[in-house]
Amino acid sequence: MARPPVLPGPRPDWLKIRVPAPEVVAEVEGLIREQRLVTVCEEARCPNLHECWGVHRTATFMLMGDVCTRHCGFCNVGKGRPGELDPEEPQRVAEAVARLGLKFAVVTSVNRDDLPDGGSTHFAATIQWIRTLSPHCGVEVLIPDFRGREADLLTVLEARPDVLNHNVETVPHLYRRVRPDADYAQSLEVLRRTAEWRDVHAPAMRVKSGIMVGLGETSEQVLALMADWRASRVDIATIGQYLPPSELHLPLDRFVEPAEFDLYRRKGLEMGFQRVESAPLVRSSYHAKESFEG
């Protein structure tokens, strides 16, 4: 049976982007190549790459290679057996942050279920190196679920990031299709444990999570998920339009209208979120510094 097209019709006007400052984009790209780093901006084919690199001079660094041990149907990152960890990578990321003069750095990773600690020690080392070389730079980490292991989560938390982000990605009804190797309740538990630790040890830390829409969820399901977030004490929420990276990925169910994104933002603020970034082009690290300071 023939697959549906990657996008169901022309891209709406609200999903078209302006490409700014190509010379600055090239500068950031050159530094990333020089430092032998991987960014989720490129691996996930983020639509905001040119804005973040060309206007804000920011990039979301992806640790531990470009091969993931999980098989999410929406993700463009390669799947398979990852290579060995590079022990110098945390320092190189911190050096790139310092050379770019960043005031806020975002660090994520592929899933590394092949590692005994899921890569948590590597995250902690990266935070510590950034603190050493750029002591006034804020740090957000977007972490995997570490298979629910609390000790691995504590390893990252004790390195004191400013924001701990863990995405649930979609509503529970779609988990088996969208995130076959993950568990919705487990992801909520990561967020709940983070908030509990934050309340005792680091009151200024923020807890963050995000989803994509346009995969077949209803607005009622999204609002129910947002209520689950608040019950888990999430402070910052991100909601953006899913766009299939290729015809081999999960098909797009629909383009979500801007008015629906506005609804999620309004309802989220009524629920008590500190900040809700909800718009078609929003991604996990979009306006990360502004969301934290908000």
Side-chain angles (χ1 to χ4, degrees), residues 47-218:
N48 302 309
L49 183 151
H50 290 88
E51 178 184 350
C52 293
W53 289 16
V55 176
H56 302 294
R57 293 179 62 87
T58 62
T60 299
F61 301 98
M62 191 163 75
L63 302 177
M64 297 182 272
D66 58 0
V67 178
C68 186
T69 56
R70 299 196 185 178
H71 305 84
C72 299
F74 61 87
C75 184
N76 194 55
V77 175
K79 280 78 171 171
R81 184 175 181 178
E84 296 294 322
L85 283 187
D86 179 355
E88 296 181 356
E89 183 180 46
Q91 181 178 349
R92 291 204 314 277
V93 168
E95 289 171 350
V97 168
R99 288 178 60 182
L100 286 168
L102 301 188
K103 296 181 179 179
F104 199 86
V106 182
V107 179
T108 187
S109 77
V110 291
N111 279 278
R112 289 298 301 262
D113 296 325
D114 59 310
L115 300 174
D117 70 347
S120 59
T121 304
H122 209 69
F123 265 107
T126 303
I127 297 168
Q128 291 159 357
W129 267 109
I130 293 173
R131 297 286 191 219
T132 299
L133 299 184
S134 303
H136 301 295
C137 180
V139 181
E140 175 178 321
V141 290
L142 172 55
I143 63 169
D145 59 24
F146 300 126
R147 294 292 193 192
R149 294 185 298 266
E150 187 169 9
D152 296 338
L153 175 61
L154 287 175
T155 296
V156 178
L157 290 173
E158 288 169 356
R160 303 296 179 107
D162 295 289
V163 179
L164 193 294
N165 187 355
H166 173 65
N167 286 337
V168 300
E169 304 293 7
T170 189
V171 299
H173 173 70
L174 297 175
Y175 248 60
R176 179 172 293 184
R177 184 165 66 95
V178 177
R179 298 188 74 198
D181 304 319
D183 179 83
Y184 179 74
Q186 182 168 271
S187 284
L188 289 180
E189 183 70 3
V190 169
L191 298 167
R192 185 191 65 78
R193 287 174 175 171
T194 297
E196 288 182 349
W197 187 91
R198 178 270 313 277
D199 291 346
V200 175
H201 301 285
M205 180 185 291
R206 295 292 178 262
V207 184
K208 181 176 177 180
S209 190
I211 61 168
M212 306 163 292
V213 290
L215 279 159
E217 73 293 318
T218 66

Side-chain angles (χ1 to χ4, degrees), residues 195-246:
E196 288 182 349
W197 187 91
R198 178 270 313 277
D199 291 346
V200 175
H201 301 285
M205 180 185 291
R206 295 292 178 262
V207 184
K208 181 176 177 180
S209 190
I211 61 168
M212 306 163 292
V213 290
L215 279 159
E217 73 293 318
T218 66
S219 58
E220 291 79 12
Q221 289 171 333
V222 172
L223 292 172
L225 179 149
M226 295 174 72
D228 288 344
W229 271 339
R230 284 303 296 145
S232 301
R233 313 272 302 290
V234 171
D235 304 299
I236 302 169
T238 60
I239 305 173
Q241 171 74 60
Y242 169 62
L243 294 172
S246 78

